[in-house]
Amino acid sequence: TYLAKERAVAIEAVERASKVCQSVFKRLVAEETLTKNDKSPVTVADFGAQAVVNSILEKHFPQDPIVGEEDSKDLQGDQGRALREKVVELVNTATEAPMSTDEVLRAIDRGQYAGGPKGRHWTLDPIDGTKGFLRGEQFAVCLALIIDGKVRLGVLGCPNLPYEMDKPDGERGVLMVAVEGQGAFQRRLNADSGVSETSIRVADVADTRDAVFCESVESGHTSHGDNANIAKLLNITKPSVRMDSQCKYAAIARGDANIMLRLPSSSTYVEKIWDHGAGNIIISEAGGRVGDINGNPLDFSAGRTLSANGGGVIAASAKIFDAVIQAVQTTLAQKSE
């Protein structure tokens, strides 16, 4: 079947990277008392996860370039030594064969590709949702394959997401996967062999008054005042589901929530392709829609960013998507008056 090998390899890469992140959390975050500004565990996990994913992709698809978020410059030289040693040690807990320091750095630096409209490339966000990660809440490992400017395969690893949203204290760890034309599926992230997949669909919400927002825990990415206005226009009264990272896409894809708004936080900010590639195809294959603030589909052919789009990212169940875009347009027009 179409992209069968790519699908299997991407799942393996995201599973391993998720394990890396979880072991960093157990070792560094839970044990070392962190000051609010100390991002070093995230940095270690970020680099470690990127090295693991990139080395697995290189083994199976040596010709495929990668658009990644990190490069190894903070790990170089004397200044980077302490961090570098932690990263290399971590990577070697998750790989089949041991990797030398140089191999780890080279794997990280495979993520420097510029992207574009032609051929194949992968895009990776090794830890999306750093604040969620540090709180022991939602973060995601996000991997997508772009062919000729379109996302054709996406995998999201959400290590802390409840397998069933109505059982928040139950089993955690969800992996979602979608291939163009084949639907979207979820499986247990931390299960051993013989994992079964179940098909997922967005909730069939026909009226926005029955809809639920999925919003960030903190308001850095999107402006909560605008969200409140949009909610009023759409007659939304149900409480929002709050979580960080691309796990919001996962929540909408399986019907835990119905609308995600990521409004432009400034006129200069341009969205990155690795923040949306996997979530974009998982939502569309689950029967939802994703677009910019003008309702246009996200354009992954313009390089490392979504610069060809009008800004922002909106995801929703298909039947209410147009109504949501209209409310967004009305709210943003009122602001600019």
Side-chain angles (χ1 to χ4, degrees), residues 14 19 81-82 117 139 163 193 257 287 302 324 333:
V14 168
K19 285 202 171 78
R81 176 177 296 150
F139 71 96
Y163 192 72
S193 57
V324 174

Side-chain angles (χ1 to χ4, degrees), residues 95-106:
T95 50
E96 282 169 355
M99 288 175 72
S100 69
T101 300
D102 284 346
E103 285 171 328
V104 169
L105 296 179
R106 206 188 76 234

Side-chain angles (χ1 to χ4, degrees), residues 67 87 97 112 127 152 183 207 214 258 282:
V67 177
V87 170
Q112 298 303 292
I127 294 190
R152 314 286 178 171
D207 189 327
C214 195
N258 317 109
I282 287 167

